[in-house]
Amino acid sequence: MGRDRGSILDRFPADGTVLIGNEELTTPYRVEDGAMLLIAGTCDGGAASVVTEPLGLDPVRTDDGRAVAALWIADFTTANLGPHGELQLSIFAEQHSGDVVSAGPWAFYEAVTRASAPWMVCHRLWNTTPRVVRYNDEHLGLAVELAGGGLRRDGAAWAFDFTDPQGQRLAEGTIDLPRRTSPGDAWRLSRAIGLRAASALARETPSVSVVSPRLGESGALRVAATHTQAGRAVLRNWNAQDHLALRDPALEGLAFAPTMVAAFTEVRFVYLRPDELPRL
């Protein structure tokens, strides 16, 4: 995949190295090509608070009292750490309770495009190679586990299936996606977040700062900026034909309810080195 003048890979080059498990690896974490599925929705507000309160954060809530959350599934085919897959569930949070967002399919985009963008708490994370697990653990300070399986694509059909090292299923899903976002969905998204924000999404997804659930040695938050671009993107509402099953007990307990799905191909992704920020 060629890199245009505005590529995040040009803006954030591999400018350092770290020693992980006796192996010298580059930093920051960079993906040059891959595919990614975003299943956005909400989870139980009380369960989300149990996750965010030890970090001194409040969940971003919808006007019906639930919390904004997202499931990320990725197949990174070209990356500085080698090809690997990822399964992640994140809860969106902020340091002070802010305005609620509208319940419905576009709550995720309403939250991440507003002026006071929230942080994304990386609640549960799995990667499919030991190298990436070690890197995310030792360098990025994330709570991460090894998993088998991954994301598969066959034309419009996207499917994923992840298992733990003992073969127990963590999550699975099947989704059929159109070739392009429908004019109706594009209009409804623009109405929810504004035309300017919706137009910007066609070029680059909003930068999101990720918070590790593990505090630093000083008790500070570990926060890292991330940047994502995609050559192609399509989104739509979640519907009754879509299938999602979360088997991991920590995921089941959140009562996650999907409201929309987005698929990205020709993905470029950068996860910058984390900073430690004091809790308020």
Side-chain angles (χ1 to χ4, degrees):
M1 179 179 61
R3 293 189 291 172
D4 56 52
R5 288 179 58 194
S7 171
I8 57 174
L9 300 176
D10 293 327
R11 280 186 277 161
F12 304 106
D15 57 3
T17 60
V18 290
L19 190 64
I20 305 292
N22 297 319
E23 185 178 16
E24 190 175 83
L25 301 170
T26 59
T27 181
Y29 175 109
R30 290 164 28 106
V31 172
E32 296 184 15
D33 199 4
M36 186 163 62
L37 197 62
L38 160 66
I39 301 174
T42 61
C43 65
D44 179 80
S49 293
V50 171
V51 175
T52 63
E53 284 180 358
L55 303 172
L57 303 175
D58 295 317
V60 175
R61 296 184 184 273
T62 55
D63 53 17
D64 61 358
R66 289 177 62 82
V68 178
L71 190 70
W72 307 86
I73 306 100
D75 176 26
F76 294 140
T77 54
T78 307
N80 68 317
L81 302 179
H84 62 280
E86 179 165 310
L87 170 67
Q88 180 189 156
L89 189 135
S90 302
I91 297 170
F92 289 81
E94 50 202 347
Q95 289 185 302
H96 301 287
S97 295
D99 295 334
V100 298
V101 297
S102 301
W106 313 117
F108 165 83
Y109 280 116
E110 186 178 338
V112 300
T113 58
R114 64 188 187 182
S116 55
W119 290 343
M120 190 172 82
V121 178
C122 181
H123 175 48
R124 297 287 283 157
L125 172 64
W126 292 268
N127 290 113
T128 58
T129 69
R131 171 191 282 170
V132 178
V133 170
R134 288 194 303 267
Y135 187 98
N136 282 342
D137 174 25
E138 297 177 28
H139 180 50
L140 299 183
L142 296 170
V144 56
E145 298 176 52
L146 183 65
L151 174 66
R152 306 179 304 280
R153 293 179 291 146
D154 183 8
W158 292 58
F160 60 91
D161 189 356
F162 288 84
T163 57
D164 68 17
Q166 289 72 47
Q168 296 297 308
R169 182 161 283 116
L170 299 167
E172 61 177 316
T174 54
I175 297 164
D176 285 340
L177 288 159
R179 289 181 56 84
R180 57 182 60 88
T181 301
S182 73
D185 278 336
W187 179 82
R188 284 183 283 271
L189 176 63
S190 297
R191 188 178 180 186
I193 67 174
L195 181 60
R196 179 176 296 180
S199 298
L201 288 175
R203 300 186 298 274
E204 183 173 337
T205 63
S207 174
V208 177
S209 291
V210 176
V211 179
S212 170
R214 290 171 17 192
L215 298 172
E217 293 182 2
S218 65
L221 294 172
R222 287 184 170 124
V223 183
T226 68
H227 301 269
T228 308
Q229 290 175 326
R232 293 180 61 85
V234 59
L235 59 85
R236 65 162 172 78
N237 287 5
W238 190 260
N239 64 43
Q241 287 70 49
D242 298 325
H243 168 65
L244 173 66
L246 302 179
R247 308 296 188 190
D248 174 70
L251 298 183
E252 286 183 312
L254 290 172
F256 178 73
T259 58
M260 61 82 60
V261 57
F264 308 91
T265 54
E266 301 177 37
V267 169
R268 293 169 284 200
F269 176 69
V270 178
Y271 191 117
L272 297 180
R273 292 179 286 272
D275 295 315
E276 290 200 358
L277 302 179
R279 288 182 293 167
L280 298 182

